[in-house]
Amino acid sequence: MGDISFNRPGDLLAYTVDATVKDGNGLFVFDTRSGRITTLDNDAQSYNRLTWSDDGAALAVLKGADVEKMRERSNVLVAYRQCRPPSVTPWGASDAGPRQGSGFPERLGCERSRPLAWSHDNKRVFFGIKEQVETADAATRRSTDDLANVDVWNSVDERIQSQQMIRAEVDRNFTFRTAFDVPAAKVIRLTDETMRELEVAQDGRWAVGRDTRGYIHDYKRPAADFYRVNTSTGERTLMFKNQLTGAHAFGISPDGRHFLYWKNNKFQGYELDAATTRTLGGSSAVSFVDMEFDHPGPKPSYGLAGYSERRQVSHRAASYDLWQFPLDGGAPKNITNGVGSKGEVRFRYARTEPIDPLAVGPRGTIDLGKTLTLSAYGEYTKKAGFYELTPDGSLKEVVFEDAAFSTPAKAAKADTFLFTRQTFTEFPDLRVSGPNFKDAKKITDINPQQAEYQWGRRVLFDYKNRDGVRLQGILALPRRLQDGREAANDRDVLREELAEHASHSAPSYLTGMGSMPIQAVSQGYITMLPDIHFRTGSSHSDMLECVEAAVKKVIEMGYADPKRIGVHGHSYGGEGAAFIGTRSKMFAAVGMGAGVTDLTSDFSQSWGWTYQVNGGSGANGNDYYIYGQGRWGVSPGTIPSSTASSRP
């Protein structure tokens, strides 16, 4: 037996036979109602990539055989638009043979590494093609004179050598997206070397391609030229040039009609049928720019929550509230009624039911006709929980407390939810609840050994940097420490990393990142995690400024002995700890884990090569220091790194 798969209605079971004696190989369909088995195709070849259409009527499969001395199998795409016996209608596209589809490129064949996919109307099958190449063994047997045994670095290469090495297998297996028009038996090339990246709409009518040539850098934000692609003809229409990708490009809407992106600090909607762009939100003065984004470069938005199918709107997040944007350019609407901004509570849509990958029609839309679950997070209280948003627009608190929750997973046929709840002292065990999450029942006890540790408690406090920016820190206090008057008898360690106030930290002797080591608290240490307010070009000085401000506040609160304080950081925080140790007189000891002090050398270090075994990217440190945690905004060639990252 080879592949086996039910169609969505469950009335047909398709399977392939892949036997040692290949004369019996083929593609078969079993009708569960009649018990009848229909042979769709027989051949002494191998069958794979069995794929049903969404409605369960159409079927596609690749069949082929290995080619001597060649790396890829010589595959044929066979598609059945209607495979319910007795009206089986076969169509085929191949690289050779009597059923060859028109327009198939020479020397390219169907490739088995990319999954097949049907359009919603069952008129197109999407698959991958690639050029046939010799196997490594065949090339070696032919000659060894032309095989390089050294790595050659070339300044004109698109990517540095370490990235090329790590990406080599991916590049070897890369396939070009192609469509097969089933009724016309025609093959349409959708991608090629000029445009390798492609997103196909769910209904398969349109696709959006990205030409990244000229935009691949070690030191610039990723961008591309975007093209609308007609999947019936392969025709390309330029949508826009030099558009930032990542958080600035949201993709095609579930109905396949719009491509949404972020430009000029506004949401933009490109209508694929009309080939026109419209700024969403109209003339609204509401800003959706993420003002908390503290890295160099254009600021992104707060993000996309999803789409409503019936009203054709997208749902966007402002700093606290959720908004509804009509895709026809109408005025936006605050669907959480300003409750988030008023209470400084962040509301976000929580999908409690998974997206059905086999659903017919647009998938992943938000049904505004049902009560929605929203996650809630208090910006300065650190409380968290969930609210309900009803179809009439009313907002109701379900649970909101000093804890952190996972997104609840709803049962398929009951109003029952599975989730975790955690605090500093409470392990995130699984809980089961009805719609009222307050009445959840804990069903696991995974961490009973916690009782062996002196756990402690946490205290949240406010402070400000020199610009008056409101910041917060977290103190973790040993259990026996009830108030500041006992602090003089305890040891104090301050770490310059901020963790979630309600997150649970497992005991660990590793320095780690982002979690407060509970073993320090259990051994009598007070630990503190402060917020850091970063500016462009002064990240180390920013850490010094904010850590000192937080320490002064803790001393003022009476928790710390000014003469017995140490500072510790890991990775980029390790760099900060080392920098603080050279500039500050507040600390009796400095601990640094995995930090760097020679920033100029580290800027071009091939990190991914070092971590190649662990799946590193092969990239150097340029992006990390200019745009990432470094936030320099420049390269050492423009401003020396010691100045760019450390100036006061």
XYZ file of all heavy atoms in Angstrom, residues 310-311 324 333 335 337 367-373 388-396:
173
model
N -18.782 37.655 5.823
C -20.055 38.205 5.365
C -19.969 39.694 5.040
O -20.524 40.167 4.064
C -21.131 37.975 6.427
C -21.524 36.512 6.598
C -22.681 36.385 7.553
N -22.360 36.949 8.864
C -23.274 37.252 9.769
N -24.550 37.102 9.490
N -22.917 37.727 10.947
N -19.279 40.455 5.858
C -19.246 41.899 5.667
C -17.985 42.367 4.938
O -17.788 43.555 4.741
C -19.350 42.602 7.025
C -20.628 42.231 7.778
C -20.710 42.972 9.094
N -21.794 42.467 9.932
C -22.034 42.891 11.169
N -21.280 43.833 11.698
N -23.029 42.382 11.872
N -12.708 47.502 13.179
C -13.255 46.861 11.989
C -13.082 47.804 10.801
O -13.486 48.963 10.857
C -14.735 46.584 12.246
C -15.417 45.695 11.240
C -16.864 45.485 11.637
O -17.741 46.234 11.221
N -17.121 44.482 12.456
N -14.566 51.118 12.557
C -15.415 51.073 13.751
C -14.674 50.380 14.873
O -14.096 49.312 14.687
C -16.713 50.321 13.434
C -17.625 50.141 14.644
C -18.832 49.280 14.285
C -19.706 49.029 15.504
N -20.858 48.148 15.175
N -14.766 48.070 17.620
C -15.718 47.037 18.031
C -15.592 46.677 19.507
O -16.440 45.954 20.030
C -15.579 45.773 17.158
C -14.203 45.130 17.309
C -15.871 46.091 15.707
C -14.075 43.823 16.554
N -15.396 49.214 21.633
C -16.038 50.401 22.204
C -15.126 51.241 23.097
O -15.602 51.911 24.021
C -17.291 49.994 23.000
C -18.272 49.193 22.164
O -18.577 49.557 21.034
N -18.735 48.071 22.704
N -16.510 34.851 12.325
C -17.963 34.920 12.205
C -18.501 35.925 13.215
O -18.589 35.650 14.413
C -18.571 33.539 12.448
C -20.063 33.495 12.120
O -20.661 34.568 11.916
O -20.619 32.386 12.071
N -18.870 37.117 12.723
C -19.378 38.169 13.607
C -20.775 37.868 14.111
O -21.276 38.574 14.996
C -19.370 39.508 12.869
C -17.993 40.034 12.458
C -18.131 41.313 11.662
C -17.111 40.250 13.669
N -21.415 36.851 13.573
C -22.731 36.463 14.049
C -22.683 35.605 15.302
O -23.730 35.260 15.858
N -21.491 35.242 15.742
C -21.318 34.449 16.955
C -20.602 35.264 18.023
O -19.938 36.253 17.727
C -20.493 33.187 16.651
C -21.139 32.208 15.697
C -20.234 30.992 15.510
C -20.868 29.978 14.580
N -19.983 28.779 14.377
N -20.745 34.840 19.257
C -20.010 35.470 20.355
C -18.533 35.123 20.232
O -18.178 33.951 20.085
C -20.557 35.003 21.713
O -21.923 35.430 21.834
C -19.744 35.597 22.858
N -17.679 36.142 20.259
C -16.247 35.955 20.090
C -15.540 35.963 21.436
O -15.947 36.670 22.370
C -15.660 37.051 19.205
C -16.270 37.234 17.818
C -15.546 38.351 17.075
C -16.212 35.940 17.016
N -14.478 35.202 21.536
C -13.624 35.217 22.716
C -12.440 36.133 22.451
O -11.748 35.980 21.443
C -13.121 33.808 23.058
O -14.238 32.953 23.326
C -12.214 33.842 24.281
N -15.899 38.316 26.478
C -16.782 37.893 25.404
C -17.310 39.115 24.668
O -17.745 40.089 25.286
C -17.965 37.095 25.951
C -17.619 35.677 26.367
C -18.842 34.892 26.807
O -19.918 35.505 26.980
O -18.716 33.667 26.976
N -17.264 39.063 23.321
C -17.825 40.108 22.479
C -19.021 39.519 21.752
O -18.881 38.626 20.926
C -16.781 40.605 21.472
C -17.233 41.699 20.506
C -17.579 42.976 21.258
C -16.159 41.975 19.456
N -20.216 40.010 22.066
C -21.441 39.466 21.500
C -21.738 40.111 20.151
O -21.205 41.175 19.827
C -22.626 39.697 22.458
O -22.786 41.108 22.663
C -22.382 39.010 23.794
N -22.616 39.501 19.331
C -22.933 40.070 18.016
C -23.502 41.482 18.069
O -23.354 42.239 17.106
C -23.960 39.074 17.446
C -23.639 37.780 18.115
C -23.214 38.158 19.505
N -24.168 41.856 19.190
C -24.710 43.207 19.287
C -23.672 44.232 19.749
O -23.991 45.411 19.935
C -25.926 43.240 20.218
C -25.579 42.844 21.655
O -24.374 42.644 21.956
O -26.502 42.727 22.470
N -22.413 43.792 19.941
C -21.338 44.714 20.270
C -21.053 44.888 21.744
O -20.169 45.671 22.117
N -21.759 44.184 22.610
C -21.497 44.323 24.048
C -20.283 43.484 24.448
O -20.027 42.417 23.888
C -22.722 43.890 24.855
O -23.024 42.524 24.618
N -19.532 43.987 25.429
C -18.299 43.354 25.893
C -18.470 42.941 27.345
O -18.838 43.760 28.196
C -17.141 44.340 25.744
C -15.710 43.800 25.769
C -15.477 42.803 24.642
C -14.714 44.952 25.657
N -18.206 41.683 27.643
C -18.419 41.150 28.986
C -17.166 40.452 29.485
O -16.583 39.617 28.794
C -19.589 40.160 28.968
C -19.814 39.435 30.289
C -20.871 38.352 30.132
C -21.018 37.523 31.402
N -21.999 36.420 31.229
